[in-house]
Amino acid sequence: MYGIFPDAAKCDVFWNCWNGEASRYQCSPGLAYDREARVCMWADQVPECKNEEVANGFACPAAGEISNAGSFSRHAHPEDCRKYYICLEGVAREYGCPIGTVFKIGDADGTGNCEDPEDVPGCEDYYGDLDLKSIRKSELLAGLALQSGGAPASTKANVKSNRPAPKDSN
């Protein structure tokens, strides 16, 4: 069997079959596999997908619940300091802050920005013993190397969550 096929149970998973061997792939957070376009797209744009399935059950506040929300609002991820949701017309899309930062809930409802972990209560130790200054420096150097035609430098970080784990529903 050859081809690319959607997973029967999870809309953010698809299978690539080649010469009788199946390889499992998963779309990035907030995305789902579109059967027609054969690419990963925002989950709310894929008819077969329930957005809640790829938004880890996060539901946007009902219209009018947030007083100063314009066309969108931002909300902290319940488990991961670096992630957050943007609600656009009632649909949640998962985003992530750049490495070295975490999401800080804003002063007004539905607002927030990516900030240094030491400025976000509960997320101060998100990156543990990781040397963020050297990572930022290597990212800067990688950007300069790209501008001059060089290859990007790679960094790998082991991060942990300081937000409480969800309660087991069993």
Side-chain angles (χ1 to χ4, degrees):
M1 183 182 269
Y2 294 90
I4 299 174
F5 305 93
D7 188 84
K10 293 188 56 85
C11 66
D12 62 341
V13 173
F14 62 97
W15 297 85
N16 185 3
C17 296
W18 181 256
N19 203 21
E21 292 204 23
S23 298
R24 183 183 187 273
Y25 294 89
Q26 185 165 13
C27 299
S28 297
L31 304 181
Y33 182 73
D34 185 286
R35 300 165 193 247
E36 298 298 317
R38 300 178 70 163
V39 296
C40 293
M41 300 173 66
W42 288 113
D44 60 289
Q45 297 174 340
V46 177
E48 302 84 18
C49 186
K50 294 182 182 122
N51 191 54
E52 297 79 27
E53 182 180 331
V54 292
N56 298 316
F58 179 82
C60 292
E65 270 187 44
I66 299 177
S67 57
N68 10 339
S71 58
F72 70 93
S73 58
R74 294 181 180 149
H75 308 273
H77 189 282
E79 300 167 20
D80 191 325
C81 288
R82 199 169 152 216
K83 295 180 183 178
Y84 62 97
Y85 295 100
I86 288 186
C87 290
L88 184 62
E89 296 178 4
V91 177
R93 291 185 174 176
E94 186 177 304
Y95 286 80
C97 291
I99 190 93
T101 62
V102 296
F103 185 75
K104 181 178 183 180
I105 298 169
D107 294 334
D109 281 346
T111 64
N113 293 301
C114 296
E115 303 283 344
D116 287 330
E118 57 268 12
D119 297 333
V120 183
C123 296
E124 300 92 337
D125 295 324
Y126 180 80
Y127 291 98
D129 295 333
L130 199 61
D131 185 0
L132 293 177
K133 288 182 182 179
S134 68
I135 289 175
R136 289 181 184 132
K137 182 177 179 181
S138 68
E139 286 178 341
L140 177 62
L141 293 175
L144 293 174
L146 283 175
Q147 288 177 355
S148 62
S154 65
T155 57
K156 195 170 191 178
N158 291 325
V159 296
K160 63 178 182 166
S161 172
N162 285 326
R163 294 211 170 123
K167 293 184 178 176
D168 191 11
S169 59
N170 293 332

